[in-house]
Amino acid sequence: MTMKTYPITGVASQAPRPRRNINDFAQDPLQWNLFLQALINLQSQGEDTHSPLGYYQVAGVHGTPYIPWMEKADADDRAGDYCTHGTALFLTWHRPYLLLFEQRIVEEALTIARNFSDKYRAEYEEAALNIRIPYWDWATDSDVPQSIRFAETDITLPEVGSDAPPVTRKGVPNPMYSYKFKTSIRRQRDFSIVGVQEMVAWEETKRCPDEKGISHPEIVDRQLRIPTVNPTAGSSFRDPIYKLLTLVGSYGAFGNTGWQTGRPGPNNISLEHYHNIIHTFTGTNYIEENSKEGHMSEVGVSAFDPIFW
């Protein structure tokens, strides 16, 4: 039997659409609203392989559960995740991976837009087609964006009726704050291999959790802002990354930590190096003693935290 595939083509549009800083994107009432609802839809889908385009399985492509995604495994396939780190494929692999997520967001956003009444539908459909994944510019503002640092948010939903105006619902769980897992059985099976026992028990993703497992976005802020905690964080990334972009002539040296002149090496100060620092200090609280490791610090589970995207 031929296995069903999902072509990653990008969002169909007549012209490229810009990806915006999340702090600007969140001020767009139509696109931000649809983006949140699309993410809620993705996160509400099943976690098993019968829902390969749901949030859990798409996030799992990056690491655990270490199973084939929409393909049959060949005998020579390596065990482990699809994601490549420390190699020349690091940057190019992540591009279609982010494109997959963006494509799924727009598909869900279009489905939601078509539920609005006749009077509003065209406006929401156009907004849905123009959605692109926003970015967090931590070199300009290293604080966790306001729109994703709180557990609840507001969304505007379609109302039943041919010309019924949309209705705003307040206090909805914020899908960008965390991903809430559905079954402990899957976490036990898929997360135990990562080696962080708390992640098997936690019912949602964590950012800089304390010893009780409570997330602390303000700790992320401090770790990316204070040189005594992280000498190369936040705005101090600007100069070395500018030099990477303008002075480094080798793609290997520019792109990944595994490159060294003439031979592989694990410590190259590359774009991946700075990327790794953001992962680490977004995930784990290094300021308070006895704190637990957060999801962004572990490659195998980092994509489950919505801030990853």
Side-chain angles (χ1 to χ4, degrees):
M1 182 177 69
T2 303
M3 180 161 287
K4 185 179 179 180
T5 59
Y6 179 79
I8 302 173
T9 59
V11 180
S13 62
Q14 294 181 339
R17 298 289 184 254
R19 296 190 175 100
R20 293 187 281 172
N21 187 312
I22 191 169
N23 292 322
D24 298 327
F25 184 66
Q27 301 305 311
D28 187 316
L30 295 187
Q31 287 192 28
W32 178 247
N33 173 59
L34 287 171
F35 175 79
L36 290 178
Q37 290 189 60
L39 189 52
I40 289 171
N41 276 16
L42 276 181
Q43 293 181 356
S44 69
Q45 295 173 22
E47 294 185 340
D48 59 25
T49 54
H50 296 295
S51 302
L53 298 177
Y55 189 89
Y56 188 95
Q57 289 292 323
V58 170
V61 171
H62 191 263
T64 186
Y66 305 128
I67 59 175
W69 182 76
M70 299 193 75
E71 67 171 351
K72 292 182 178 179
D74 296 326
D76 59 351
D77 282 350
R78 67 185 180 92
D81 52 356
Y82 284 100
C83 179
T84 59
H85 283 264
T87 77
L89 294 176
F90 168 70
L91 292 176
T92 55
W93 185 91
H94 282 80
R95 286 178 65 81
Y97 187 47
L98 290 171
L99 201 62
L100 162 63
F101 183 74
E102 184 173 78
Q103 195 170 317
R104 289 293 295 120
I105 286 288
V106 172
E107 288 172 350
E108 295 294 337
L110 278 171
T111 298
I112 295 161
R114 288 163 183 156
N115 289 326
F116 281 83
S117 62
D118 296 344
K119 184 176 180 180
Y120 302 94
R121 186 177 303 124
E123 183 181 25
Y124 275 87
E125 285 183 341
E126 181 181 6
L129 281 171
N130 288 330
I131 290 174
R132 297 298 183 269
I133 301 176
Y135 60 86
W136 171 27
D137 185 358
W138 34 256
T140 299
D141 184 353
S142 56
D143 287 357
V144 174
Q146 289 292 314
S147 57
I148 69 175
R149 66 188 296 132
F150 300 107
E152 294 184 345
T153 189
D154 301 338
I155 59 173
T156 301
L157 299 165
E159 185 65 286
V160 177
S162 59
D163 288 321
V167 59
T168 298
R169 182 180 298 172
K170 296 183 178 295
V172 174
N174 188 348
M176 282 297 293
Y177 177 77
S178 68
Y179 171 67
K180 294 177 172 58
F181 299 98
K182 295 175 177 58
T183 64
S184 59
I185 295 175
R186 288 205 68 87
R187 292 199 311 275
Q188 180 66 48
R189 187 185 69 189
D190 298 342
F191 283 31
S192 58
I193 193 172
V194 177
V196 182
Q197 186 58 39
E198 290 81 13
M199 292 182 185
V200 177
W202 284 334
E203 296 180 351
E204 63 179 324
T205 54
K206 306 288 184 178
R207 293 175 198 151
C208 286
D210 58 25
E211 59 182 338
K212 296 180 180 178
I214 299 172
S215 291
H216 288 276
E218 74 279 4
I219 298 295
V220 180
D221 301 344
R222 290 177 62 190
Q223 291 186 153
L224 293 180
R225 192 187 306 140
I226 305 173
T228 55
V229 176
N230 180 11
T232 57
S235 61
S236 60
F237 277 7
R238 297 176 194 170
D239 183 58
I241 290 178
Y242 177 78
K243 289 178 179 176
L244 279 172
L245 289 166
T246 56
L247 299 178
V248 178
S250 164
Y251 176 78
F254 164 78
N256 70 87
T257 58
W259 187 93
Q260 283 186 356
T261 303
R263 62 184 178 84
N267 299 311
N268 182 48
I269 306 301
S270 61
L271 198 63
E272 183 184 5
H273 166 81
Y274 295 105
H275 154 277
N276 292 346
I277 293 173
I278 296 295
H279 265 278
T280 300
F281 284 92
T282 302
T284 300
N285 179 349
Y286 291 95
I287 294 176
E288 298 178 356
E289 294 184 0
N290 302 317
S291 296
K292 307 300 182 182
E293 188 174 5
H295 290 76
M296 275 286 282
S297 295
E298 286 286 342
V299 172
V301 295
S302 59
F304 290 96
D305 185 340
I307 205 171
F308 170 96
W309 303 100

